[in-house]
Every structure is written in C-alpha cells, then in structure tokens.
Amino acid sequence: MSYINLALLNAEVVNYLKDNASLSAATIVLKGSPFKNITAQELAQQHTGLLKSKDKLSLWHNTKGILFPPKVNIEQTSSSKTARYKASLISGKTIIDITGGLGIDDYYFSKVFDTVTHCELNESLSALAAHNSNVLGAHNITYKVGDGISILKQESTKFDWIYSDPSRRDDTGGKVFKLSDCEPNIPKHLDVLLEKGKRILLKTSPLLDITAGLRELKFVSEIHIVALNNDVKELLWIIDQEHSSPTEIITVNFKADYKEEFKAKLTYESLARVNYSKALSYLYEPNSALMKSGLFNTISEQYALFKLHQNSHLYTSKRLIDFSGRRFKILETLPFHKKSLKRVFKNTKANITTRNFPLTVSQLKSALQIKDGGTTYLFFTTQNQSDKVVLVCEKI
C-alpha cells in the first residue's frame, strides 16, 4: 500500500527544515525527529530533496506542498530545463510514460498533450508524483502502478506517443549503458512499443555510444544531444516507423541565457568536405554536445572552418564567426619544445587544454611549471603536418 506522510507539510515542520537547511542529512538523522508522527529519516529525505531541487527543479523547490522522494530518484530524474526541452519536441492528444518515476517529464508533457498516462512500479513514488502534480495543477495525468510494458500491452487504444527513460542500474546498483541492459529492455520490446504507439521518445544515458544505440534500435528519425552548461545530460531518440529520411543529429547546449544549436544528417559526415590549415587568427573548440555527435567533418563544412588536424577536432579561421562552443583569439603559435617553453611559461598562470597531444594536462603543468588560472588559454595540439604546437589564446 502506498504511503506518503502529509505531516511533512505542516507549518512547524516546514519552518524546522528552513532553520536547519545548512545541516547535512546525516546530522538531521542524528539529531532525531522532534515531531511525534515524523521520523528523522523522513525529515532528512525532505531536507535533501529541498537542497537537490533548488537549481535542478526550481518549480518544485519553490512550490508549497511539494513532497520529495529519496535522493536517488531526484538524481535520476530530468531537470526542469531538459524536461521542458522534451515537451517542445512532441505534442498530441495522448502520451504514455512507461517509466514514470517522479513525473517531472510528465508534468511538462501535460502542457502539450490532452492526457498523460504515468506508469511506475514503485507504489509510493507513484503516489508522491500524483500528489505533486495535483499541487502543481496538472490534472490531466493518470497514474497507474505496475510494469509499464505490461500496462501498455493491456491498452486497447494506440497512443500518439510513448515515452521511456529506462533505468540504467543493474540488480546490484551498478550503472549499465547498453540499451539491452537497461530496464525495461527497449530493443527487446520495440515491436510492442511500435504496435501501441505512433511514435516513441526515448531518453538514454549521455554515455551511450550513438553508433551502438543505432544498432540496437530501428526507425530512428532524430537524436537530440542535450547539454547544460557544456555538460551532456541526456540523449533523446525519436523513433518513427513512418520516417524514411536519414537520421538527423541535433545538438543543444543550454547556457545561462541562450542556447547553442547544431543540426545535420548523420549520413552527411562521410560526404563532408574538410579543408586543413595551420592556426590562423581564431580558434574554435566545439561544445560537449557537438563533440558527442562525432560530426567533426560536418562541423568544418557547415561552419566553413579549417580543421587543424584530422584527429585534433579544433577549428580555425581568419575571420570571427558564431559557433557552438568556445571561441578564442590566437595570439601566438609556438612550436612544442619543453626547454624553451619552460622559460616562457615558468610560474605563469594559464588554462591548459590538450587535443591530440601525447602529454596530459598534469604532465604539462609539471614539466613547464604552469599554475592554474588567469586569462591566458594554452591549447597543446597537433597541426595538419603533425607539428606539435601550443596555441596561446585569449577567450572571446
């Protein structure tokens, strides 16, 4: 039977958690609960949820009446920003989420679908998600407890969309990355999903190899690589059996007040024309989402940039352009000779990056006696003629 403790929402409990916000969850437990009908563990769970949701789930954090699940459920759920992005990609009358969890994605789906069906194995988590959606005014979500695949098989109607965020942990709690190792096993049940849904939106680990994912799936029309502040958070796969064009890769990197986007057909990569050059006036470093795409030749062609080397994945131009990543003014190009560079950089501050270079950042800092920080950026890399160089840059 599901259980959520509504006593956690009493004013004196809310004030207690505010007064003790600076304490760790372990300290909250050790102090014990001053409330007769609330355990110390329940207080610690709500305390941790408030802290973890502050930036990731600001709406939930700032709304009175919200209850939080164990820390692992918050860590595994989508952030508000990535959930909103998902909801911007799809819409329709009906959607079923076969791995509902805390229901963050479903809240945003409820804004663009007439009805949302939330399926969750954990009865208490399902009850908590239902409570929170009611508090937030999302009244078009239906909650079902049980295995999402089994529930889907019992449905007589076909959904406009099926959504799944498979669990990426095995029976011992260890992380898994192959789709067939996740729960539910999407490749195994893909035919059932395609029978019950017109289209599928699948969220996977950012560590999943895109080529491997394409081998396990079929009818993939789009792959979205989503990053927050240059940290890839998730891969989104749109599966549409009526789609016949080559798979499109869309990369999105959300910054504080804007986003960097890039689009290309996956098949273009092998056809893209690449021109190489030694470092010119400006240097471009792709953001993490763009790097994850592996479309290094397409980047060169679409942006009309020269590549420094086939394996360096850094780009250069004479004139400054907009770019999905960091941009730098190249102040100087120096050949890599340890002795001469040590005389130049000894005891100076700089930010070091290596690309296609035999030494690591820590080895270079030690060998050249460079300290972290400052406004100078040093790129240790290989140019087209296999020249090992350091590019002295300032960030734009």
Side-chain angles (χ1 to χ4, degrees):
M1 184 175 179
S2 62
Y3 171 75
I4 54 175
N5 193 348
L6 296 177
L8 287 163
L9 303 177
N10 292 338
E12 62 270 22
V13 181
V14 172
N15 290 332
Y16 176 85
L17 291 170
K18 283 182 181 178
D19 293 340
N20 291 277
S22 61
L23 299 181
S24 67
T27 303
I28 294 284
V29 172
L30 288 173
K31 283 181 67 175
S33 174
F35 307 104
K36 192 176 293 186
N37 53 349
I38 300 173
T39 67
Q41 287 73 21
E42 287 174 321
L43 284 174
Q45 180 173 304
Q46 189 73 355
H47 167 274
T48 300
L50 285 164
L51 290 178
K52 291 283 184 181
S53 64
K54 185 175 181 180
D55 296 320
K56 186 175 184 178
L57 303 167
S58 58
L59 176 61
W60 281 253
H61 177 86
N62 295 322
T63 301
K64 292 181 180 179
I66 294 293
L67 291 171
F68 292 98
K71 180 173 75 169
V72 64
N73 296 119
I74 297 179
E75 291 174 342
Q76 291 176 351
T77 193
S78 301
S79 67
S80 296
K81 189 164 282 188
T82 59
R84 278 195 299 268
Y85 180 72
K86 290 186 197 72
S88 74
L89 302 177
I90 62 177
S91 62
K93 291 185 177 180
T94 59
I95 183 171
I96 184 169
D97 179 353
I98 61 173
T99 52
L102 186 53
I104 305 302
D105 290 313
D106 292 339
Y107 169 76
Y108 289 100
F109 290 151
S110 74
K111 306 292 186 183
V112 291
F113 284 87
D114 292 347
T115 61
V116 179
T117 303
H118 173 285
C119 307
E120 172 55 45
L121 276 168
N122 185 317
E123 191 174 1
S124 293
L125 185 57
S126 178
L128 188 147
H131 164 83
N132 286 344
S133 70
N134 187 57
V135 170
L136 293 169
H139 301 303
N140 58 336
I141 307 175
T142 300
Y143 291 84
K144 297 189 177 184
V145 177
D147 172 68
I149 296 291
S150 298
I151 292 171
L152 187 63
K153 288 178 178 178
Q154 295 168 8
E155 294 288 339
S156 58
T157 58
K158 191 166 187 173
F159 291 89
D160 290 338
W161 283 88
I162 296 172
Y163 174 67
S164 182
D165 175 9
S167 173
R168 298 185 285 275
R169 298 205 179 256
D170 58 23
D171 294 337
T172 62
K175 291 185 178 181
V176 297
F177 303 107
K178 284 180 62 178
L179 284 174
S180 56
D181 291 334
C182 296
E183 184 59 41
N185 182 335
I186 296 298
K188 178 182 176 181
H189 297 292
L190 188 55
D191 287 340
V192 172
L193 297 177
L194 291 170
E195 179 188 338
K196 294 292 186 176
K198 296 176 184 177
R199 296 179 185 85
I200 301 165
L201 175 60
L202 176 65
K203 171 185 169 182
T204 67
S205 163
L207 297 179
L208 177 65
D209 180 76
I210 289 175
T211 302
L214 286 167
R215 282 198 297 266
E216 289 191 272
L217 299 170
K218 56 186 177 181
F219 306 124
V220 178
S221 61
E222 297 176 11
I223 302 171
H224 295 250
I225 305 170
V226 185
L228 298 180
N229 297 315
N230 213 33
D231 182 11
V232 178
K233 294 297 185 182
E234 54 195 47
L235 304 183
L236 303 175
W237 306 70
I238 292 181
I239 298 171
D240 182 355
Q241 56 189 327
E242 295 183 359
H243 186 85
S244 58
S245 300
T247 302
E248 186 169 40
I249 302 287
I250 299 98
T251 73
V252 181
N253 181 38
F254 287 98
K255 308 290 280 185
D257 52 0
Y258 67 99
K259 63 181 178 181
E260 300 169 332
E261 291 184 279
F262 182 84
K263 296 181 181 181
K265 297 291 185 181
L266 190 58
T267 52
Y268 289 0
E269 177 64 9
S270 61
L271 305 174
R273 292 184 178 182
V274 183
N275 293 313
Y276 296 93
S277 172
K278 292 185 176 182
L280 301 170
S281 301
Y282 298 97
L283 184 73
Y284 305 87
E285 180 189 34
N287 63 41
S288 60
L290 206 46
M291 287 295 293
K292 175 68 180 179
S293 75
L295 300 176
F296 303 119
N297 295 338
T298 308
I299 293 168
S300 177
E301 183 175 79
Q302 282 206 16
Y303 283 109
L305 294 172
F306 293 101
K307 213 165 181 250
L308 290 186
H309 185 277
Q310 181 180 357
N311 300 318
S312 294
H313 308 322
L314 291 170
Y315 303 83
T316 190
S317 69
K318 289 183 179 179
R319 296 173 59 186
L320 183 65
I321 66 163
D322 289 333
F323 185 75
S324 291
R326 298 197 297 176
R327 304 182 302 168
F328 301 87
K329 171 69 176 174
I330 299 174
L331 304 177
E332 194 173 7
T333 301
L334 302 174
F336 182 74
H337 298 298
K338 282 187 183 179
K339 287 185 179 179
S340 59
L341 289 177
K342 185 174 181 179
R343 289 194 295 269
V344 173
F345 295 120
K346 185 177 180 180
N347 295 325
T348 61
K349 286 187 174 183
N351 305 278
I352 298 178
T353 297
T354 60
R355 286 284 174 83
N356 190 23
F357 200 79
L359 299 179
T360 66
V361 171
S362 59
Q363 288 172 333
L364 288 167
K365 287 197 296 186
S366 175
L368 305 179
Q369 297 183 21
I370 299 173
K371 299 177 181 178
D372 280 327
T375 57
T376 299
Y377 290 79
L378 303 179
F379 283 83
F380 290 81
T381 189
T382 303
Q383 294 196 133
N384 192 34
Q385 301 302 318
S386 297
D387 300 327
K388 301 291 186 291
V389 297
V390 52
L391 307 178
V392 184
C393 304
E394 63 179 16
K395 192 175 180 182
I396 296 173

